[in-house]
Amino acid sequence: MNEEPMSTEWHLDAELAGRYAQGGVSTVLASSVEQHLIRCAACRALLTPTVPAARLDAVWAEVLETVETPRATLLERLLRGVRVDEGTARLVAATPSLRGAWILGVVVVLTLAVLTAHADGNGIALFLALAPVLPMAGVAFAFGPAADPTHEIAAAAPYSSLHLLAVRTVVVVASTLVPIGLAAPFLPGNAWLSVAWLLPALALTVTMLALATRVAPHLAAIGLSALWLAVVIPGLAHSRNALLASELPVQLASLAALTVSAGALLVQRHDLPELFRRTA
Amino acid sequence: MTLTATERPMEEHVTDGDLLSAVADGSTAALESLYRRHASWLTVRLSRRCADPAIVDEVLQDTFVAVWKSAGRYTGQGEPAAWIWGIAIRRLVDAFRRTPPAAYPLYDHVTDLNLIESAEDRVLLGVEHGDLAGALGRLSPELRAVVQATVLDGLTTREAGRLLGVPAGTVKTRMMRARAALRKELAR
């Protein structure tokens, strides 16, 4: 459509440009002006002085900021969609454990556990041993300079540490519990297994957080994982009871640990900034 | 996106089409040149369709963000200015969908009734004879707005309805009435 304008001799002058910009010309003339402007850069330039440069600069600054800001991740946009404020959404979305690799790892491990469970009774033991550890590991790796590129930002962010801790923990635990919860019904046997791992999982996570006010989160997570496996695996070998994690003593011990740790966490909440300053 | 502070807006002789190609390749300098060339007239043209400067600025911003994202889809056919306007007018429709126009004096900034007729006026509606300017001028503001939104801005019935804050069906009936009125006027 590069043909010549329909009336080559017809152009705006400064006076008409000014009146058009002020809204001072009739609809019909304005339409002529607008059709002409589409094809005539010289007449478009006549309108430049009619809009304050400061106004255009302000809009340009916004455009530049938008195009230079990395696109929000899907998670961040989802969180924004449910009215989580922008800063929190970004910090949550930047949580390392939420990266695809972690979720993928969780899914692979659980799939293997479920498949093994069908092949061999000990697979259930593998599932019940791993399921409670995964959310804790996820939360542990959601913090700390080793794992988190936004560590500095998080440490300096104008959020209470407890707020950030709570938000991230909930999101990480939820993102891990969902795949585990989806895997659980595929286990052979007792339906109770579907939820048996929940209480130990929460107990381990909260205990790890309580410990994290004293030691680096990932060290706390490794220690607790070792402890958990040390309790569960020999128990399995000894009694050949694949449902050990669902037994009453384990559940009660989990409940006790959950209560004590949650209490400790509340008492120590003013020390929580330490969580962000630990060196790995 | 890494950008050096020394990147400057492009030279005068570079065409808008070249700029759009550069924008498609990720040049913010080219986007800025394009913005400097087109922001003023777009602001004026949008302001004739929306009396709220805040919405106009928001639409202008959305437009250039959309240009940034979709510059690769510009085919090289047609005027870049027309392509950008096509984005802008649809962004305005979107803005009105978010914030329905309450009392915008849409398409109705007419303060000067000394209508001037140009050759282009006639061509616009494919009318060769008759007092088109006068006929359009005598349409009621509602009918004139519909003619402008559909014929001149090239919006669909539904888009025009959103822009004008009326149902699409109303746009259709008003367009029919406008056509009938113009035909009658021009036949005299």
Side-chain angles (χ1 to χ4, degrees):
Chain A
M1 203 174 81
N2 287 325
E3 74 263 29
E4 284 296 296
M6 305 222 180
S7 52
T8 36
E9 299 310 312
W10 196 87
H11 286 284
L12 277 68
D13 56 22
E15 188 270 337
L16 178 57
R19 272 200 303 143
Y20 168 67
Q22 296 298 314
V25 295
S26 70
T27 307
V28 176
L29 179 55
S31 302
S32 298
V33 168
E34 286 169 355
Q35 293 298 309
H36 177 73
L37 286 177
I38 288 293
R39 297 188 179 177
C40 183
C43 289
R44 287 200 292 265
L46 283 177
L47 288 171
T48 307
T50 67
V51 183
R55 179 178 174 187
L56 294 182
D57 287 346
V59 174
W60 169 248
E62 298 273 340
V63 172
L64 192 62
E65 197 188 317
T66 311
V67 302
E68 286 190 332
T69 304
R71 221 166 120 70
T73 61
L74 179 65
L75 177 66
E76 194 176 331
R77 277 177 281 144
L78 280 176
L79 289 169
R80 296 280 291 136
V82 293
R83 293 164 176 268
V84 172
D85 70 89
E86 189 177 347
T88 305
R90 180 142 315 156
L91 279 173
V92 168
T95 305
S97 307
L98 295 177
R99 303 261 166 73
W102 166 259
I103 301 287
L104 189 65
V106 171
V107 170
V108 167
V109 167
L110 289 172
T111 309
L112 285 176
V114 170
L115 289 178
T116 325
H118 283 280
D120 166 12
N122 281 337
I124 299 176
L126 182 62
F127 178 85
L128 285 178
L130 287 177
V133 172
L134 289 172
M136 172 187 66
V139 174
F141 286 100
F143 298 99
D148 186 356
T150 65
H151 175 72
E152 294 294 325
I153 302 167
Y159 297 102
S160 78
S161 297
L162 191 61
H163 176 193
L164 181 62
L165 182 70
V167 169
R168 277 195 172 179
T169 302
V170 166
V171 172
V172 171
V173 168
S175 71
T176 313
L177 287 187
V178 168
I180 296 177
L182 288 174
F186 293 99
L187 289 172
N190 198 334
W192 161 235
L193 285 178
S194 304
V195 288
W197 49 272
L198 262 175
L199 201 54
L202 289 174
L204 284 170
T205 305
V206 177
T207 307
M208 185 278 295
L209 287 173
L211 287 175
T213 57
R214 304 272 171 234
V215 299
H218 70 280
L219 292 182
I222 291 169
L224 284 170
S225 305
L227 185 67
W228 168 256
L229 294 176
V231 169
V232 173
I233 291 177
L236 290 172
H238 189 252
S239 65
R240 301 291 300 164
N241 181 1
L243 308 182
L244 183 72
S246 68
E247 287 196 342
L248 198 59
V250 175
Q251 294 289 321
L252 285 181
S254 299
L255 189 61
L258 178 62
T259 314
V260 171
S261 303
L265 205 53
L266 274 179
V267 171
Q268 290 176 314
R269 64 184 180 276
H270 299 297
D271 297 331
L272 284 176
E274 285 301 301
L275 201 57
F276 302 106
R277 291 200 201 102
R278 299 244 169 243
T279 49
Chain B
M1 168 95 11
T2 51
L3 268 181
T4 57
T6 53
E7 264 193 279
R8 304 304 316 162
M10 304 281 172
E11 305 286 330
E12 286 294 313
H13 57 79
V14 179
T15 68
D16 288 346
D18 296 339
L19 286 177
L20 277 174
S21 310
V23 170
D25 290 339
S27 164
T28 49
L31 186 69
E32 176 161 14
S33 298
L34 213 54
Y35 180 85
R36 297 291 169 207
R37 287 182 188 183
H38 294 281
S40 307
W41 74 268
L42 286 169
T43 300
V44 172
R45 191 166 174 183
L46 287 168
S47 299
R48 287 187 60 86
R49 287 150 180 80
C50 170
D52 184 341
I55 293 182
V56 169
D57 286 357
E58 186 192 314
V59 168
L60 185 65
Q61 182 188 334
D62 287 355
T63 301
F64 277 89
V65 171
V67 167
W68 171 257
K69 286 179 185 159
S70 57
R73 269 180 259 152
Y74 173 69
T75 56
Q77 300 295 304
E79 282 287 339
W83 186 75
I84 297 173
W85 171 252
I87 294 174
I89 186 70
R90 279 170 181 83
R91 293 286 148 169
L92 183 64
V93 171
D94 287 346
F96 282 160
R97 189 164 40 180
R98 289 195 297 270
T99 322
Y104 301 111
L106 281 163
Y107 292 99
D108 202 23
H109 284 267
V110 186
T111 55
D112 171 10
L113 287 173
N114 295 320
L115 298 170
I116 302 169
E117 202 176 352
S118 78
E120 288 193 346
D121 285 344
R122 299 174 169 283
V123 174
L124 284 175
L125 288 175
V127 178
E128 302 288 336
H129 306 286
D131 177 20
L132 173 64
L136 269 177
R138 282 189 290 276
L139 286 178
S140 70
E142 291 81 14
L143 297 190
R144 206 163 52 223
V146 166
V147 172
Q148 192 170 6
T150 54
V151 179
L152 305 178
D153 285 338
L155 293 176
T156 64
T157 308
R158 184 189 295 193
E159 286 168 337
R162 284 195 198 117
L163 190 67
L164 301 170
V166 298
T170 310
V171 173
K172 271 186 199 157
T173 38
R174 284 185 187 171
M175 192 59 205
M176 269 156 49
R177 274 163 51 204
R179 274 206 202 94
L182 287 175
R183 217 175 283 130
K184 197 172 149 196
E185 286 258 348
L186 295 169
R188 279 200 305 213

